[in-house]
Amino acid sequence: DGGITQSPKYLFRKEGQNVTLSCEQNLNHDAMYWYRQDPGQGLRLIYYSQIVNDFQKGDIAEGYSVSREKKESFPLTVTSAQKNPTAFYLCASSISGALESNQPQHFGDGTRLSIL
Amino acid sequence: AQSVSQHNHHVILSEAASLELGCNYSYGGTVNLFWYVQYPGQHLQLLLKYFSGDPLVKGIKGFEAEFIKSKFSFNLRKPSVQWSDTAEYFCAVTDSGSARQLTFGSGTQLTVLP
């Protein structure tokens, strides 16, 4: 079955350590996205990538970094510069990131990151 | 920048009651509108969407939403809720200048009592 796989489901790290969250999709989608979900705040866009080897900052990119070396993979690194990294992180993809596309985004199951 | 407001943070209903969840957005141009649902322990999934045409859109599981452009609203409705509708509901919008960036509301937690 096609879908988006995020791993791990739960992740614990010590304060000051960088951590990388995995996101893989086998939907052959061009565009991929990372969101952060906090209670009472909905989803906020961290980074997005419309095509391989290209990505743009979203609304809350500070303290995060991404790469898009392969179409199916869009890992997110939470750096020590992120002041409040404990959150639920959601990866999403869509067929195209183009404006004329009307395909909704498909979501992974998320990774819950806790900083100890 | 656009914004999406969901004024009801937590709604509690009994089974068979009617549901209406409010969603208002701030952008004045052409928009695409979505409702997503997240059931406990599951991933976010699309409930329904509006791109153009009939402003009353029907989604899965008996849900519908009405786009009222003059009110910048896209409220979600269901005539009779079930216990299995207990979930968190998110309204989202893209505009013509967002390059497919979805802006989400803060979500509404719906609890349906059996």
Side-chain angles (χ1 to χ4, degrees):
Chain A
D1 288 338
I4 301 174
T5 301
Q6 289 187 243
S7 60
K9 194 167 185 176
Y10 299 95
L11 190 56
F12 299 90
R13 279 294 182 270
K14 291 183 180 180
E15 197 169 347
Q17 288 183 333
N18 291 356
V19 59
T20 297
L21 282 59
S22 168
C23 178
E24 303 279 330
Q25 55 99 357
N26 59 4
L27 300 165
N28 200 33
H29 285 176
D30 286 320
M32 296 186 74
Y33 311 78
W34 273 106
Y35 293 89
R36 171 181 169 140
Q37 186 178 14
D38 293 284
Q41 294 194 51
L43 280 72
R44 293 180 290 168
L45 182 66
I46 304 172
Y47 268 98
Y48 67 100
S49 167
Q50 293 179 267
I51 199 167
V52 175
N53 292 322
D54 183 60
F55 50 83
Q56 286 83 39
K57 293 181 179 180
D59 298 323
I60 54 166
E62 186 177 350
Y64 299 97
S65 66
V66 293
S67 63
R68 187 83 189 278
E69 296 176 2
K70 297 186 296 183
K71 187 175 185 178
E72 59 271 21
S73 178
F74 191 41
L76 172 74
T77 297
V78 184
T79 75
S80 57
Q82 168 50 234
K83 295 177 183 177
N84 185 20
T86 295
F88 188 61
Y89 291 88
L90 280 167
C91 180
S93 70
S94 60
I95 290 177
S96 169
L99 295 176
E100 61 270 20
S101 171
N102 61 9
Q103 295 299 318
Q105 296 178 3
H106 300 259
F107 289 83
D109 290 335
T111 293
R112 189 167 296 281
L113 174 63
S114 298
I115 301 300
L116 306 175
Chain B
Q2 60 189 335
S3 65
V4 179
S5 297
Q6 291 181 246
H7 303 294
N8 309 106
H9 297 296
H10 195 179
V11 173
I12 302 173
L13 296 172
S14 298
E15 275 195 315
S18 64
L19 169 72
E20 181 160 3
L21 301 182
C23 173
N24 289 91
Y25 62 93
S26 63
Y27 186 68
T30 302
V31 292
N32 297 332
L33 297 154
F34 307 81
W35 274 98
Y36 284 86
V37 60
Q38 189 170 27
Y39 296 103
Q42 296 187 29
H43 61 262
L44 212 63
Q45 52 189 290
L46 183 68
L47 199 56
L48 49 80
K49 61 186 179 183
Y50 171 79
F51 291 108
S52 62
D54 188 345
L56 184 64
V57 293
K58 296 195 182 294
I60 60 172
K61 304 185 180 183
F63 286 91
E64 65 178 31
E66 185 174 13
F67 171 50
I68 303 179
K69 190 174 181 179
S70 61
K71 295 185 177 180
F72 300 91
S73 71
F74 190 56
N75 292 356
L76 180 71
R77 300 195 294 246
K78 186 171 183 179
S80 176
V81 294
Q82 300 172 312
W83 175 79
S84 58
D85 292 325
T86 294
E88 190 156 19
Y89 294 81
F90 294 93
C91 182
V93 60
T94 64
D95 64 43
S96 59
S98 67
R100 297 295 302 147
Q101 291 186 62
L102 275 171
T103 299
F104 284 85
S106 57
T108 297
Q109 174 65 46
L110 171 66
T111 301
V112 180
L113 304 174

